[in-house]
Amino acid sequence: CNDWVMSYSLCCRNNAITTLNTSGAMYIESKLDNLNFPCNNSPTFTNKPVPFICVGQQYCFNNGATDIDGDSLSYQMVTPATSATNNVVYTPPYSATQPLASTPAVTLNPLTGDICMTPTQLQVTVFAVRVTEWRNGVKVGEILRDIQIRTITCNNNNPFLNGINNTG
């Protein structure tokens, strides 16, 4: 086979998700070009996703994807899957790139994988990030990460850094 698809499916997503029409199963996969890159390693995630985010406070998350082969990585928010051929259906106005109410809108840096949001209401949502690996401009493979987040009412004050000896 030229390409391998390794997948995992779990029934079912919980019913607490407020941004989907139906929650359904969770399906994730990884793809590998076995013909052109037979000894490739998949990217790995070094950061665990934080399941709770404070309403009204900016939150930025990075999956911490690394590749032991030194391949370049790119990031894309995609619709979470329920099977190899079906995706979740968001309740409008939510979507794969705007999975929760946020002002400003949710952003993803395709080069670093940084996802930033400032939730504006209590919600439970799910989103997926596809990490694609590239070697000399050629796609080597990809891996999908599925993340569920709950926004909550809380205060999370960021620390204030004042410099050395109060010099700023």
Side-chain angles (χ1 to χ4, degrees), residues 58-61 102 104-109 113-118:
Q58 183 185 39
Y59 176 74
C60 292
F61 172 73
S102 175
V106 176
T107 60
L108 167 74
N109 183 316
D114 290 337
I115 302 168
C116 293
M117 60 197 79
T118 305

Side-chain angles (χ1 to χ4, degrees), residues 1-6 30-41 133 135 139-142:
C1 295
N2 292 355
D3 296 311
W4 290 5
V5 176
M6 294 142 283
S30 183
K31 295 180 181 178
L32 170 68
D33 179 344
N34 191 52
L35 180 64
N36 297 310
F37 304 97
C39 296
N40 181 54
N41 293 284
E133 56 182 322
R135 191 171 301 160
K139 182 178 174 180
V140 177
E142 62 186 44

Side-chain angles (χ1 to χ4, degrees), residues 64-159:
T66 61
D67 187 275
I68 196 169
D69 301 315
D71 296 328
S72 298
L73 302 177
S74 65
Y75 303 83
Q76 179 183 15
M77 290 182 77
V78 297
T79 305
T82 58
S83 70
T85 57
N86 293 305
N87 293 328
V88 301
V89 177
Y90 283 97
T91 303
Y94 307 109
S95 66
T97 57
Q98 296 302 314
L100 75 155
S102 175
T103 301
V106 176
T107 60
L108 167 74
N109 183 316
L111 300 177
T112 66
D114 290 337
I115 302 168
C116 293
M117 60 197 79
T118 305
T120 58
Q121 64 188 37
L122 298 175
Q123 292 180 299
V124 179
T125 191
V126 62
F127 62 93
V129 176
R130 176 184 297 137
V131 180
T132 305
E133 56 182 322
W134 306 87
R135 191 171 301 160
N136 300 320
V138 178
K139 182 178 174 180
V140 177
E142 62 186 44
I143 188 168
L144 187 70
R145 187 176 212 188
D146 192 290
I147 301 170
Q148 179 176 305
I149 290 181
R150 176 183 300 269
T151 60
I152 60 174
T153 303
C154 57
N155 290 319
N156 184 14
N157 296 321
N158 291 328

